[in-house]
Amino acid sequence: MRTAAHVATQRAAPTDMPFVVVAHDGAARRSRLATAHGTINTPAFMPVGTQATVKGLTPAQLRDAGAEIILANAYHLALRPGAALIRELGGLHRFMGWDGPILTDSGGYQIFSLAALRKVTDEGVEFRSHVDGAPLFMTPEDVIRLQMDLGVDIMMVLDECVPGQATRAEAERAARRTLEWARRARAVPVAPGPLMFGIVQGATYADLRCEQARALVALDFPGYAVGGLSVGEDRGITMELAEATVAALPADRPRYLMGVGLPEDLIRFVGMGYDMFDCVLPTRNGRNGMLFTSAGRLNIRLARYTRDESPADPHCRCYTCRTFSRAYLRHLAASGEMLGAQLASLHNVYFYQQLMRDMQAAIAGGRFAAWAAERLAHLTAEVEA
Amino acid sequence: MRTAAHVATQRAAPTDMPFVVVAHDGAARRSRLATAHGTINTPAFMPVGTQATVKGLTPAQLRDAGAEIILANAYHLALRPGAALIRELGGLHRFMGWDGPILTDSGGYQIFSLAALRKVTDEGVEFRSHVDGAPLFMTPEDVIRLQMDLGVDIMMVLDECVPGQATRAEAERAARRTLEWARRARAVPVAPGPLMFGIVQGATYADLRCEQARALVALDFPGYAVGGLSVGEDRGITMELAEATVAALPADRPRYLMGVGLPEDLIRFVGMGYDMFDCVLPTRNGRNGMLFTSAGRLNIRLARYTRDESPADPHCRCYTCRTFSRAYLRHLAASGEMLGAQLASLHNVYFYQQLMRDMQAAIAGGRFAAWAAERLAHLTAEVEA
């Protein structure tokens, strides 16, 4: 059944509301989010530029690939080269040569996955730098100030991440702390410009996540993220938790599902009502010779592509697919040539951006469900030669 | 003293002569060389794309950097992915997405530096592939056919390379064989299109090199290369040998000095009358964080660049220098980010191409000597912060 797209009715909101839902289609939304460095269209995918570079791609290539917003990591940049240094040099946009919107993850996830000798108190996190072992202490307030130093468009609050297998008690303690940290972050005076997003945690406990979400909403953030999913738990559980949590988030704010995922996952999450995503897969898999295509995954290292004259994805209009054959890409991968990683990353980022544009059009056209069913049937296959 | 530039008088030559000297200035020449894939301006520098890729750069970026011709390696491509395969896929230009002229080195140097269990006879070279250990035998005729399979614009004959410390007897034997191989290569029927260049060897013996050159010239090649220089011998000796050899080469054919060199060397060799060059330095040094600039070499890894807002070379108009600071490039190098290698390689290739354009203009303007003195004074310095 075709669901008619319609202009969304906005909940009463401040007049400077940066987020406007343009069309609904089931739970899926087509929106626009205005930031200090331009407006992005959602559903949006943010290529990951952890260390102030999306690995292997110039800003010009990112633009050509259709990226409207990228993600960087406040924790990584605070450690190297330092947020004060980046501020001194004119901010992160100027530093990395990207004049579009930037969202920074706070680094909560990185502190909990990379840093050594971590000690969490209600006050903040004590840890050692994974770069040089230097002892550091960060409060929720520090992390916001750090992102202000970077001059980014969307700042994330500091959150405490627990493993997917956390007990109820551990999850509750971390959730309580994350909420208190969110309150403190929200109280930091921020000059007009950057938007601050809260983050819902709660491990694998749906009721805890919903409770967290409601409490965060009371703090009236310009946007809400859902974190700590796709961190090792069963995929069915990820889907259930994502769906349960999104229901507790307000319709008039952007909803960002952090750190996911595969193209087929993005379609499902958009179908639930999520608007924003980030993931290392397009670039990481590109470096490993795995290309996402409209007909499924393509492992360019396979011998079957040795004489294959066709482009990686015959339906793709990216520079890689317009210029090179699978045979050439395979030769580069087999020879360990850097250009192979670059061209595959370029294609994958373009592929993700095209997927988002397709979703935007399907939602605006009120044909998202049919479009999604059609795409999902092809996306997960392994490409046949 | 200013030497007036003048239109060169051509020696009697076939009407289809692809090489035209446009201006002389002392021994330096400003010329044009027509190939099946376009005309190149000389003095010309060829970025090295050994395995059908100039490391880290797309063909589009190479064009933007001003490259008119690139070099690939017949030996490497014959081993992987295979010359027959590349022919099947439409030739090397189509394979690697580069529609400008391509020169391939025959692989003589690589056979003598990379291959294991090498055995040289008058008939050809027996060796094992450095890729997979497969036994191979290549004759001078094979090497030409192989380059015809690749479909390149300029083919090099197979030569026997000896170490810089070779004795007179060793050098003479190799030179005699290289000459006989050149005769056999020249006799291979070649369809109109590709140009075949002979190669002068002779180790460190100037008289042997001149004798070689004269004998090669009798074979009437469309161009002549000088090989086996800058392979470990003293730099003063390189200069002497290069100068002695160029005098034995005809004025109406392009002269290609293989595998060199630093920017200051190129200026000196152009001053001797050489027209074409190739070298891995711009990309290899780029990957190691060494940037060539108009004020000298810049090691971007040094701590002194941590807060440096200026571009790598304030006089450069490349994408890297127009977009990024030294501080950012240093951050990328310190973080081991691939983009750092790419941006430095891009800059270095642009820098070399700009140097060639500057030389072309100086020669055409009859002010090469003054220009060279001025540039040489700056090029070899280490950049001060």
Side-chain angles (χ1 to χ4, degrees), chain A residues 267-280:
Chain A
I267 294 175
R268 293 195 183 97
F269 293 130
V270 165
M272 294 177 192
Y274 285 99
D275 308 299
M276 297 168 69
F277 308 90
D278 78 278
C279 194
V280 295

Side-chain angles (χ1 to χ4, degrees), chain B residues 66-287:
Chain B
E68 292 186 329
I69 174 171
I70 61 170
L71 175 143
N73 192 287
Y75 161 83
H76 278 279
L77 295 175
L79 265 47
R80 182 176 56 198
L85 174 68
I86 290 178
R87 186 189 51 199
E88 210 180 283
L89 293 169
L92 184 56
H93 294 84
R94 186 164 162 195
F95 185 62
M96 68 182 293
W98 170 259
D99 60 5
I102 302 176
L103 177 150
T104 32
D105 191 3
S106 64
Y109 181 76
Q110 283 67 33
I111 293 173
F112 290 89
S113 60
L114 290 176
L117 300 173
R118 188 178 61 242
K119 192 182 155 199
V120 191
T121 65
D122 287 342
E123 181 54 21
V125 198
E126 197 182 325
F127 60 99
R128 287 189 180 273
S129 159
H130 75 280
V131 175
D132 60 7
L136 291 158
F137 184 77
M138 277 187 196
T139 68
E141 291 86 353
D142 292 336
V143 168
I144 294 302
R145 286 183 206 113
L146 207 152
Q147 294 175 86
M148 288 196 283
D149 278 352
L150 296 176
V152 300
D153 300 280
I154 303 176
M155 310 185 290
M156 304 302 298
V157 300
L158 182 65
D159 54 343
E160 180 175 357
C161 303
V162 292
Q165 327 87 291
T167 64
R168 177 83 195 193
E170 288 167 339
E172 277 185 6
R173 198 178 52 228
R176 202 166 42 235
R177 194 175 266 148
T178 294
L179 187 61
E180 177 52 29
W181 286 356
R183 194 168 285 128
R184 284 165 55 190
R186 192 76 179 108
V188 175
V190 175
L195 307 172
M196 192 189 302
F197 281 22
I199 306 179
V200 179
Q201 291 287 353
T204 52
Y205 306 97
D207 62 321
L208 183 57
R209 284 188 171 268
C210 291
E211 191 188 304
Q212 271 274 306
R214 280 188 292 270
L216 269 182
V217 170
L219 296 174
D220 192 32
F221 281 96
Y224 298 92
V226 175
L229 285 184
S230 245
V231 294
E233 78 282 3
D234 182 88
R235 196 153 165 287
I237 305 217
T238 312
M239 292 292 156
E240 276 174 35
L241 290 167
E243 188 140 34
T245 311
V246 80
L249 294 175
D252 66 347
R253 305 291 157 100
R255 303 156 175 168
Y256 162 29
L257 185 54
M258 305 180 83
V260 292
L262 288 165
E264 59 270 24
D265 293 337
L266 297 190
I267 294 174
R268 294 196 182 96
F269 292 130
V270 165
M272 295 177 191
Y274 285 98
D275 309 298
M276 298 167 68
F277 307 91
D278 78 278
C279 195
V280 296
L281 280 181
T283 43
R284 177 178 294 165
N285 285 7
R287 292 198 300 286

Side-chain angles (χ1 to χ4, degrees), chain A residues 52 55 88 307 328 337, chain B residues 52 55 88 307 328 331 337:
Chain A
K55 287 183 195 302
E88 211 180 283
R307 290 163 193 281
Y328 182 64
E337 283 285 350
Chain B
K55 288 184 196 298
E88 210 180 283
R307 291 163 192 279
Y328 182 64
H331 165 67
E337 283 285 350

Side-chain angles (χ1 to χ4, degrees), chain A residues 45-66:
Chain A
F45 179 82
M46 301 179 278
V48 173
T50 303
Q51 306 201 96
T53 158
V54 174
K55 287 183 195 302
L57 302 182
T58 67
Q61 288 172 321
L62 277 172
R63 275 280 179 217
D64 287 348

Side-chain angles (χ1 to χ4, degrees), chain B residues 224-379:
Chain B
Y224 298 92
V226 175
L229 285 184
S230 245
V231 294
E233 78 282 3
D234 182 88
R235 196 153 165 287
I237 305 217
T238 312
M239 292 292 156
E240 276 174 35
L241 290 167
E243 188 140 34
T245 311
V246 80
L249 294 175
D252 66 347
R253 305 291 157 100
R255 303 156 175 168
Y256 162 29
L257 185 54
M258 305 180 83
V260 292
L262 288 165
E264 59 270 24
D265 293 337
L266 297 190
I267 294 174
R268 294 196 182 96
F269 292 130
V270 165
M272 295 177 191
Y274 285 98
D275 309 298
M276 298 167 68
F277 307 91
D278 78 278
C279 195
V280 296
L281 280 181
T283 43
R284 177 178 294 165
N285 285 7
R287 292 198 300 286
N288 294 327
M290 207 288 277
L291 288 87
F292 294 98
T293 82
S294 50
R297 318 283 198 244
L298 189 148
N299 176 357
I300 201 64
R301 294 178 175 275
L302 296 181
R304 68 163 75 144
Y305 301 121
T306 306
R307 291 163 192 279
D308 193 335
E309 288 192 74
S310 55
D313 184 346
H315 299 293
C316 179
R317 295 297 304 153
C318 81
Y319 175 72
T320 301
C321 289
R322 279 186 287 113
T323 316
F324 306 100
S325 63
R326 292 174 178 179
Y328 182 64
L329 297 176
R330 179 184 188 265
H331 165 67
L332 294 178
S335 307
E337 283 285 350
M338 172 159 59
L339 187 63
Q342 294 166 233
L343 294 177
S345 298
L346 188 61
H347 165 79
N348 282 348
V349 168
Y350 185 99
F351 180 85
Y352 267 68
Q353 296 303 330
Q354 186 57 49
L355 182 72
M356 304 322 281
R357 286 190 292 269
D358 289 350
M359 283 200 260
Q360 292 165 15
I363 296 166
R367 51 185 170 76
F368 182 74
W371 174 90
E374 160 79 18
R375 286 302 295 265
L376 287 171
H378 295 287
L379 273 175

Side-chain angles (χ1 to χ4, degrees), chain A residues 72-324:
Chain A
N73 193 286
Y75 161 83
H76 279 278
L77 296 174
L79 264 47
R80 183 175 56 198
L85 174 68
I86 290 178
R87 185 190 52 198
E88 211 180 283
L89 294 169
L92 184 56
H93 295 84
R94 187 164 163 195
F95 185 62
M96 66 182 292
W98 170 258
D99 60 4
I102 302 176
L103 177 149
T104 31
D105 192 2
S106 63
Y109 181 77
Q110 284 66 33
I111 293 174
F112 290 91
S113 60
L114 290 177
L117 301 174
R118 186 177 60 242
K119 192 180 153 202
V120 191
T121 64
D122 287 342
E123 183 52 22
V125 199
E126 197 183 323
F127 61 98
R128 285 189 181 272
S129 159
H130 76 280
V131 175
D132 61 7
L136 292 158
F137 184 76
M138 277 187 194
T139 68
E141 291 86 352
D142 291 337
V143 169
I144 294 303
R145 285 186 206 110
L146 206 151
Q147 295 176 85
M148 288 194 285
D149 278 352
L150 297 175
V152 300
D153 301 280
I154 304 177
M155 309 186 289
M156 304 302 297
V157 299
L158 181 65
D159 54 343
E160 180 175 356
C161 303
V162 293
Q165 327 86 293
T167 63
R168 176 83 195 193
E170 288 168 339
E172 276 184 7
R173 196 178 52 228
R176 204 168 40 234
R177 195 175 266 149
T178 294
L179 187 61
E180 178 51 29
W181 285 357
R183 194 169 285 128
R184 285 165 54 190
R186 191 76 179 109
V188 176
V190 176
L195 306 171
M196 193 192 299
F197 281 22
I199 305 178
V200 179
Q201 290 287 353
T204 52
Y205 307 96
D207 62 320
L208 183 57
R209 284 187 171 269
C210 291
E211 192 186 302
Q212 273 271 308
R214 279 187 294 269
L216 269 182
V217 170
L219 296 174
D220 193 32
F221 281 97
Y224 297 92
V226 175
L229 286 184
S230 246
V231 292
E233 77 281 3
D234 183 89
R235 198 153 164 286
I237 303 215
T238 312
M239 292 292 157
E240 274 173 37
L241 290 167
E243 188 140 34
T245 311
V246 80
L249 295 175
D252 65 347
R253 304 292 158 97
R255 301 155 174 166
Y256 161 31
L257 185 54
M258 304 179 82
V260 294
L262 289 164
E264 59 269 26
D265 294 338
L266 296 189
I267 294 175
R268 293 195 183 97
F269 293 130
V270 165
M272 294 177 192
Y274 285 99
D275 308 299
M276 297 168 69
F277 308 90
D278 78 278
C279 194
V280 295
L281 281 180
T283 43
R284 178 177 294 165
N285 284 9
R287 291 197 302 284
N288 294 327
M290 207 287 277
L291 287 87
F292 294 99
T293 82
S294 51
R297 318 275 201 253
L298 189 150
N299 176 357
I300 201 65
R301 294 178 175 276
L302 297 180
R304 68 161 76 142
Y305 301 121
T306 305
R307 290 163 193 281
D308 194 336
E309 287 193 75
S310 55
D313 184 347
H315 299 292
C316 179
R317 296 295 303 150
C318 82
Y319 175 72
T320 302
C321 289
R322 279 186 285 115
T323 315
F324 306 101

